[in-house]
Structures are given as C-alpha cells and as structure tokens.
C-alpha cells in the first residue's frame, strides 16, 4: 500500500504583545516604519523591548536575515536572540546580531580589499597591538629614549580613531604628561599604521574604521546593505562613539527603519570615547522620528526612585522623564555622615554583618564608589571581620602591580636580604630584565648590608639602563636616610615623586588611577611611625579571602565595585561611599567641566538599589596631620530634605 505523509509546518506561537507588555513598551514595540528613539529609563525593561521588537518584526513577515541587531557585547545579542526564539517558537539563525566589531568583521571578510587589505587578514587583540607598538618604538628610536609603553600608545591610537580626533589632540587633551613628545608619538602611530597594512593586520578599531571607509567610498555596496538590513536595532545607543554613530547612519541610509534604544541619563563612558551628544542629536538627524519613553521602573522602591528623579532633574542637557515605581513602598534612603574613611568602613561592615544575621545573603549587597582607591579601607575592614567580598572594580588592593612595587621598596628598606623584593624593584629600571636582576642580586646577597653595595652593581647594568640605574641607587640612598626613619608615608611619597610616577605614566593608560591608589596608601600610612609595623599590617591584611572566610557558609560575597563597572546590575541593598566634593564628583571632572556626566554617574549608582540605599561620606580628610573638614558631595546638597533620612553615627 502506498503511504502518504502529510507535511505540517512547525507550530508558530503568536505573541500577545498587548498582554505581555506595559503600554509604554507596547507602543515602542509596535512602531511601524521609519526611525525611532526609545528612551529606556533604569529598570524599565529595555532588553524586553528590544527582544519583543525583533519578535514582532519576524512575526510580521520580515526575514531574520533582513534584521541587524547591534549590541555592546556578543553575550547580550545571543541572549536576546535566544529569548526571541522562545517567544515565537522558531529558529532565527539568519539574524545578523552581535557587537559592532563582530558585524564589521563579517562585512570586511567580504570587502576588505576596498579598505586596503588583502583577503585573510588577521585581527590583533589588545596584547598583540601593544607588542606591535613596542616593535615600532624600537624601530623608531635607534637609541634609548623615555617614551610611553605600547599599552599607552594603543590607548591613544584607539581614542583618536573612535572619537575622530587627531593623535596630537588626544595627547594634548587626555595625556598631557607627554605633550613634549607629541611629534614622536604621532610618528610612531604612523609607523604602526603602515606596519599593520604591510602585514595584513587589523586591530579592533580598524574593523570599525574599515566599515565606515567602505560605505563612504562605495555607494553601491552601502545601498546593498541598506536594502539588506530592512530593520536596524541598536542597543545602549548612549554609549556609542562618533565612529559607531557614523556607521549606523551610513547603514540606515538616512531615512531607514532604524530603532535606537538607550538612556541619556545613563551615559557615563566619555573616558572611553563615548559621545553623549549622539543620543541628544538623534531627533535632529532624523526629523519627525517618534520618541518613546519607558518610565515604569520594575526594580526600585518609590523612595529610591524619588531620590533618583531628584538627582537627574538638575542636568540641563537631557530628555526630561520621571521614573515611576511598581514595587511596594519601603524605607527611605539613608544619608550617613561619618568621622573619616576608617569609621565609614566600620559602619558599612557593621551594617553588612547585621543584614547577614537577618538572613540577607551577602550576594544581595554591594558597595559602590566613584574611584577604585576609595575601596582600600573597606577591603581591609572586611578582611579583619571575615566578610567575604568580590572586587569588581579591578584587582584587590594588595594584588595590584603598583601597590606591590611600592611595598617591595619598603620591604627592601626594612629587610635588605629580601630577594623577591630586590628583583622586583630592580626590574622597574628600564632596560633591566630577569637576567641582569639575577646578577645584581648575586653580587649583593652575601654582603651584610646589601643597600650599601647596590651602587657597585652599576658594572653589571646594560649601557641603555645606566642612567636609570644611577637614579634608582640615588632614590634608595635618599629614602634610607635618617630623615625618613619611621615615616613610611614619606618614603612612599618620595619614591612616587622621584621616578615612580613617571614610570606609571609611561607604562599604563590609567596612570592617574594608580597614583590615586598610592596616595590613598600614603594617607593610611600616616597612622604608622614604624616601617616594620606598617609592612606587617599590610601583609596580614593582604591575605586571600579564602583565609579570611569562605563564601559557602556565609551566603555569597559582597560586591565592591566602581559605579562604572556596576552599570546594568542591581542589588537589594546598595552603599554608595565617599560621597564628597572632589571625590564624587571627582576633582578632575570638575576641572574638565564634566559635572553633568558625574551627576549621571551618581544617578546610575542610586538606581542599582532595589530595596535599601545608604549614601555615606566622611566629614574629615584622611590627612592625619591636618584633620581638615571636607564637604559632602554637592549632589547630596541638591536633594530635597524630605527624600532621605539622615543617620547619626552614634545611632548605629
């Protein structure tokens, strides 16, 4: 008997958008044709809107391969696409989704010749880029010269490309320490660009620059992709730089179906090259484009949102909106003045312990701050009390290279027979590596007073390192003198000012942040009149948190993070510490007239809290010589007095 098989299409789920979305979200998702701006306030379901928008496009008959979804992480794109597939019950593998760099790589694999490259080009990661710069520096200077390291060059070059700025301008504005070497820096960057082209190499920024070049210079190819991508969605649009914004406009074709989603109130990455003006200028570039505002917040209590709204209303340059809470009412935010940074750390630790005793998991708690150095006293206090914590803003304080370097100098002064510390500090001299450091140690190790013999090691040092080594010997002689005896803070300060600060600027793109860490350690060291006691405490406080207490028995770890690193995350209880003028907002931002971005940063920090918020600030400086009074942040001063409750220290 002949058999017949009935072919059935797989069942397709129909999404009830009106039922599953709130009215604000629904209006944005159901937008028909043309450009649109979605202003998604904190905790208002931004990812949900993007996901449902893609689902609706595909359900309405748009093929997956005709949709371009640009995000800032591939993980975010994959998660959104996974959710879409669950919603509509079908595979959308053809959808072009991922980061700008991912999309650029796919496009350039097809058209790299138009950007000046050959097929099969390789992509340099950040470490590869740094090494190629080091090669260019060595080729550019036949003799030894003090010039930034490859990592600094990589940062300068990246900022120039992503902001559409000349290298010279980037150096003058962002790296003024190298103003005197600006011509040499421009020359080395030029050599780096030539080498990449000759070797058929692209770095990450070349991917974006190549995309823009191809579309600008080849109208037919640009039109092809504008027609191919009938709908373009861009997530976190407030974080785009000028290069990314140009790429989006070129691809959309000026009047295309472009939906950008973001929040101007959460634009906080100008230091990476992000251009806040991109989102503000969108209505000008696309006249008549509707603006959808998402203001229903599903994260925070009404009390926290009232404080958040009171913060951001003070910014002049913004799209006005006010967040509204779905959550039930809770405690008011607390403002907590404290005597100094040490009492601040004690207060936070005490509240954390109390919350944990009340069955609040450590995972539900976060301590946020403007700059990484502000976590030093907190890390030490948590170590003392056995509170498990995770540092998201970088390495733990005592694991950082610059802190280890300075402590190694002190250890050599306290114990001149410390081989590990000797080798570490000797290798800080440019031109000295492991082999020479070993020879120097072998020369001085048997001497009763190795410090007295270090100058004799000059004969072992390569010629290119001779001047630096003499300077190194002089510094050791100076800090070993009577005037520095029993003054660890002054020893650190002298080493920083007489060579180590220059080493930081030459080696690291974030030298200023590292200097802040060291200055904070100097302030802490003012409490000690014994080098040995200071080092002993530093060593004991630097033990790993597995020694200080595991996380399984205590319910997770408290997160310590800068506000920048915390964006996109949330916790039930948030402490914002160091809320002082000159700290938050930072002194540098005030000098650069960036107060509005700092206020947005404060707003982002506050809106990470779901149920409870503590704003803490010390009232005296960390300078134990002067005990000067310091002001609370101007942002706290802007808050209406009825939107928070002040806690007196003695009440805790």
């Amino acid at each position: 008997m002949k058999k017949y098989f009935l072919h059935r299409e797989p069942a397709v789920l129909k999404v009830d958008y009106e039922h599953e979305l709130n009215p604000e979200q629904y209006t944005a998702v159901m937008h028909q044709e043309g450009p649109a701006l979605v202003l998604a306030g904190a905790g208002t379901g931004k990812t949900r809107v993007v996901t449902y928008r893609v689902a609706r496009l595909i359900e309405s008959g748009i093929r997956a391969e005709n949709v371009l979804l640009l995000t800032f992480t591939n993980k975010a794109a994959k998660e959104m696409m996974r959710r879409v597939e669950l919603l509509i019950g079908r595979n959308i593998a053809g959808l072009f989704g991922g980061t700008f760099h991912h999309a650029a790589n796919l496009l350039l694999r097809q058209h790299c010749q138009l950007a000046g490259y050959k097929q099969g080009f390789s992509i340099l990661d950040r470490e590869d880029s740094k090494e190629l710069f080091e090669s260019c520096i060595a080729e550019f200077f036949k003799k030894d010269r003090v010039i930034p390291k490859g990592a600094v060059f990589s940062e300068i070059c990246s900022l120039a490309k992503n902001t559409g700025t000349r290298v010279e301008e980037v150096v003058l504005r962002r790296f003024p320490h190298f103003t005197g070497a600006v011509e040499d820096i421009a020359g080395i960057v030029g050599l780096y660009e030539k080498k990449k082209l000759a070797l058929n190499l692209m770095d990450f920024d070349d991917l974006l620059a190549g995309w823009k070049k191809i579309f600008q210079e080849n109208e037919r190819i640009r039109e092809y992709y504008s027609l191919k991508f009938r709908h373009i969605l861009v997530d976190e649009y407030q974080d785009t730089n000028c290069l990314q914004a140009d790429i989006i406009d070129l691809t959309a074709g000026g009047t295309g179906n472009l939906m950008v989603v973001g929040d101007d109130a959460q634009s906080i990455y100008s230091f990476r090259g992000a251009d806040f003006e991109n989102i503000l200028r969108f209505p000008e570039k696309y006249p008549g484009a509707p603006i959808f505002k998402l203001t229903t917040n599903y994260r925070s209590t009404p009390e926290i949102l009232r404080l958040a709204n009171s913060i951001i209303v003070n910014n002049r340059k913004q799209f006005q909106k006010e967040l509204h809470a779905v959550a039930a009412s809770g405690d008011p935010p607390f403002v907590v003045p404290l005597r100094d940074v040490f009492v601040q750390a004690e207060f936070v630790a005490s509240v954390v312990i109390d919350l944990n005793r009340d069955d609040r998991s450590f995972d539900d708690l976060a301590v946020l701050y403007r700059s990484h150095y502000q976590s030093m006293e907190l890390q030490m206090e948590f170590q003392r009390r056995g509170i498990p914590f995770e540092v998201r803003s970088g390495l733990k304080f005592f694991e950082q290279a610059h802190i280890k370097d300075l402590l190694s100098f002190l250890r050599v002064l306290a114990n001149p027979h410390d081989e590990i510390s000797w080798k570490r500090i000797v290798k800080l001299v440019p031109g000295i590596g492991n082999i020479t450091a070993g020879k120097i140690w072998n020369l001085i190790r048997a001497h009763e007073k190795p410090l007295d013999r270090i100058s004799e090691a000059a004969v072992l040092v390569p010629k290119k390192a001779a001047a630096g080594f003499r300077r190194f010997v002089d510094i050791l002689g100076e800090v070993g003198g009577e005037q520095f005896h029993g003054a660890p803070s002054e020893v650190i300060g002298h080493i920083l000012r007489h060579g180590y600060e220059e080493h930081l600027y030459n080696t690291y793109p974030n030298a200023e942040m590292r200097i802040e860490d060291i200055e904070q350690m100097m302030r802490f060291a003012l409490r000690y009149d014994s080098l040995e006691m200071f080092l002993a405490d530093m060593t004991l406080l630097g033990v790993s948190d597995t020694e200080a207490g595991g996380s399984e028995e205590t319910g997770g770890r408290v997160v310590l993070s800068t506000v920048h690193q915390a964006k996109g995350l949330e916790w039930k209880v948030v402490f914002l510490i160091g809320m002082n003028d000159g700290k938050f907002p930072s002194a540098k931002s005030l000098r650069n007239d960036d107060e509005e971005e700092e206020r947005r940063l404060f707003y982002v920090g506050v809106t990470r809290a779901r149920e409870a918020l503590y704003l803490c600030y010390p009232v005296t400086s960390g300078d134990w010589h002067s005990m000067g009074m310091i002001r609370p942040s101007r942002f706290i001063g802007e808050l209406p007095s009825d939107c928070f409750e002040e806690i007196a220290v003695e009440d805790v």
Side-chain angles (χ1 to χ4, degrees):
M1 180 182 292
K2 192 174 183 180
K3 294 184 179 179
Y4 293 89
F5 294 92
L6 297 176
H7 176 72
R8 290 190 177 94
E9 291 291 331
V12 177
L13 303 179
K14 293 293 290 183
V15 181
D16 187 347
Y17 295 95
E18 195 165 9
H19 175 73
E20 296 186 25
L21 301 168
N22 70 33
E24 294 171 337
Q25 295 169 339
Y26 177 77
T27 305
V29 166
M30 301 306 289
H31 170 67
Q32 295 299 314
E33 298 286 319
L37 170 61
V38 180
L39 295 172
T44 59
K46 171 179 68 68
T47 301
R48 190 175 185 84
V49 166
V50 175
T51 301
Y52 276 73
R53 172 67 176 173
V54 174
R56 195 199 77 79
L57 289 173
I58 293 174
E59 275 199 341
S60 66
I62 303 296
R63 296 170 66 89
E65 55 265 34
N66 296 136
V67 177
L68 173 62
L69 170 61
L70 293 171
T71 63
F72 274 81
T73 66
N74 283 316
K75 180 181 177 182
K78 288 176 182 176
E79 176 60 20
M80 288 179 188
M81 291 160 72
R82 185 188 68 82
R83 291 191 195 181
V84 171
E85 290 182 338
L86 288 174
L87 271 176
I88 64 176
R90 73 176 88 158
N91 185 282
I92 58 166
L95 190 143
F96 212 77
T99 64
F100 282 85
H101 296 92
H102 173 71
N105 177 50
L106 294 177
L107 183 140
L108 283 161
R109 293 296 169 188
Q110 301 294 319
H111 309 289
C112 59
Q113 293 97 331
L114 298 175
Y117 287 83
K118 297 186 283 288
Q119 286 291 346
F121 64 85
S122 299
I123 300 174
L124 298 169
D125 62 20
R126 294 298 183 194
E127 193 63 29
D128 295 332
S129 174
K130 184 181 78 172
E131 289 182 12
L132 184 57
F133 263 120
E134 294 287 358
S135 171
C136 292
I137 293 166
E139 185 175 328
F140 195 85
F141 293 120
K142 300 305 179 186
K143 295 182 180 179
D144 187 55
R145 287 279 301 274
V146 176
I147 201 75
K149 299 288 186 185
V152 180
F153 268 102
S154 188
E155 184 76 4
I156 292 170
C157 191
S158 180
L159 279 170
K161 284 184 183 171
N162 286 295
T163 59
T165 310
R166 293 171 61 244
V167 166
E168 292 85 349
E169 291 178 35
V170 171
V171 173
L172 294 174
R173 192 181 333 133
R174 303 285 286 268
F175 298 85
H177 190 75
F178 299 117
T179 300
V182 69
E183 290 184 9
D184 290 337
I185 290 171
I188 291 167
V189 169
L191 180 59
Y192 170 77
E193 297 295 343
K194 288 178 184 176
K195 273 186 172 288
K196 281 188 300 176
L197 204 56
L199 298 169
N200 208 31
L201 300 172
M202 288 192 194
D203 60 28
F204 290 143
D205 304 309
D206 292 325
L207 293 171
L208 301 187
W211 184 350
K212 180 178 176 180
K213 177 181 172 68
I214 290 169
F215 277 21
Q216 278 184 325
E217 298 178 0
N218 301 272
E219 186 67 17
R220 288 180 63 184
I221 290 176
R222 188 197 65 75
E223 287 180 354
Y224 167 80
Y225 282 99
S226 292
L227 290 170
K228 173 180 170 60
F229 298 127
R230 291 181 56 194
H231 286 270
I232 302 171
L233 291 91
V234 184
D235 190 24
E236 302 286 11
Y237 186 69
Q238 79 282 348
D239 294 334
T240 55
N241 56 46
C242 69
L243 179 55
Q244 290 164 329
D246 288 345
I247 287 168
I248 293 164
D249 294 337
L250 285 165
T251 308
T255 57
N257 296 317
L258 168 65
M259 177 175 281
V260 299
V261 184
D263 183 8
D264 58 300
Q266 297 186 75
S267 179
I268 58 174
Y269 293 117
S270 65
F271 69 96
R272 293 183 187 167
D275 188 351
F276 170 67
E277 296 291 336
N278 285 342
I279 195 166
L280 291 186
R281 286 194 296 258
F282 189 86
E284 297 172 19
K285 288 197 290 186
Y286 296 91
I291 300 175
F292 303 104
K293 295 183 180 181
L294 309 183
T295 60
T296 305
N297 177 283
Y298 294 91
R299 177 185 300 155
S300 306
T301 63
E303 290 79 8
I304 292 171
L305 287 189
R306 180 161 181 253
L307 186 139
N309 289 328
S310 299
I311 293 167
I312 205 64
V313 74
N314 292 288
N315 271 6
R316 288 184 307 103
K317 298 170 74 173
Q318 65 167 308
F319 293 106
Q320 292 286 343
K321 62 182 178 298
E322 184 173 318
L323 298 184
H324 306 282
V326 170
S329 187
D331 292 329
F334 300 108
V335 171
V336 192
L338 298 139
R339 188 176 72 239
D340 54 39
V341 291
F342 303 104
V343 176
Q344 177 178 253
E346 291 169 8
F347 168 79
V348 173
S350 296
V351 176
V352 164
I353 289 171
D354 287 345
L355 289 169
N356 187 244
R357 286 172 179 164
D358 290 339
D359 295 325
R360 179 77 77 187
S361 169
F362 286 127
D363 284 334
D364 291 333
L365 317 177
V367 186
L368 308 182
Y369 32 83
R370 172 63 181 83
S371 302
H372 182 54
Y373 76 87
Q374 292 175 296
S375 69
M376 175 185 162
E377 295 81 11
L378 196 68
Q379 289 187 44
M380 293 191 291
E381 187 65 26
F382 277 20
Q383 292 281 48
R384 283 194 190 99
R385 300 204 189 194
I387 299 173
F389 64 93
E390 174 187 353
V391 181
R392 297 266 183 89
S393 52
L395 293 171
K396 289 190 176 181
F397 195 81
F398 299 102
E399 294 172 353
Q400 300 176 106
H402 50 292
I403 298 301
K404 286 185 170 184
D405 289 345
L406 269 297
L407 290 177
S408 292
F409 270 104
L410 300 187
R411 289 190 179 110
V412 162
L413 295 176
N415 173 21
H417 297 279
D418 183 336
E419 176 184 356
I420 295 172
S421 295
W422 262 116
K423 287 182 176 178
R424 185 180 186 96
I425 63 174
V426 165
K427 286 190 291 185
L428 292 173
V429 178
I432 293 182
N434 288 325
I435 294 175
T436 303
K439 290 178 180 178
I440 291 171
W441 170 247
N442 288 333
L443 175 67
I444 65 174
R445 63 190 296 182
H447 201 278
E448 186 179 347
K449 295 182 177 180
L451 279 165
D452 293 344
R453 201 175 179 188
I454 186 64
S455 59
E456 299 174 20
V459 296
L460 303 173
V461 171
K463 187 178 292 185
K464 64 180 181 179
F469 187 74
R470 284 196 298 272
R471 189 179 183 187
F472 168 77
V473 171
D474 289 343
I475 292 169
L476 279 179
E478 289 159 6
V479 295
E482 195 66 32
Q483 70 187 92
F484 291 105
H485 184 71
S489 179
E490 293 184 23
V491 174
I492 297 168
H494 189 82
I495 294 167
L496 178 65
R497 291 188 300 272
H498 292 81
Y500 192 72
E501 183 175 27
E502 185 177 348
H503 163 76
L504 291 175
Y505 277 114
N506 288 337
T507 308
Y508 302 109
N510 63 343
E512 291 182 354
M513 292 172 59
R514 293 171 187 263
I515 291 168
E516 286 177 338
D517 287 340
I518 293 167
E519 289 174 342
Q520 191 73 356
M521 185 167 69
M522 286 167 58
R523 285 189 281 271
F524 181 77
L526 285 167
R527 309 172 83 191
Y528 294 83
D529 56 12
S530 163
L531 185 59
E532 289 76 11
M533 286 302 298
F534 174 71
L535 286 170
D537 279 2
M538 293 298 97
T539 303
L540 293 172
L541 290 168
V543 297
S544 68
D545 57 347
T546 53
E547 295 173 67
S551 62
E552 290 183 7
E553 301 78 20
T554 48
R557 299 170 187 268
V558 181
V559 168
L560 310 186
S561 174
T562 61
V563 179
H564 283 104
Q565 292 287 340
K567 185 175 177 291
L569 304 174
E570 61 182 68
W571 294 271
K572 289 183 179 178
V573 182
V574 168
F575 300 83
L576 268 167
I577 64 171
M579 293 299 305
N580 295 92
D581 253 17
K583 307 292 184 184
F584 202 156
S586 71
K588 181 180 178 181
S589 69
L590 294 177
R591 288 194 302 270
N592 295 337
D593 196 28
D594 289 335
E595 183 176 312
E596 291 213 348
E597 177 155 331
E598 291 289 294
R599 191 176 284 108
R600 295 195 294 270
L601 190 61
F602 181 34
Y603 174 83
V604 168
V606 165
T607 53
R608 300 311 94 198
R610 291 165 57 188
E611 297 175 6
L613 174 68
Y614 295 82
L615 306 177
C616 306
Y617 66 91
V619 297
T620 60
S621 73
D623 187 341
W624 287 71
H625 290 329
S626 64
M627 294 300 290
M629 301 296 290
I630 50 177
R631 294 185 301 174
S633 170
R634 63 192 61 194
F635 300 150
I636 290 179
E638 292 171 353
L639 298 173
S641 59
D642 61 348
C643 75
F644 63 86
E645 181 179 312
E646 187 166 307
I647 297 179
V649 177
E650 56 267 28
D651 294 339
V652 180

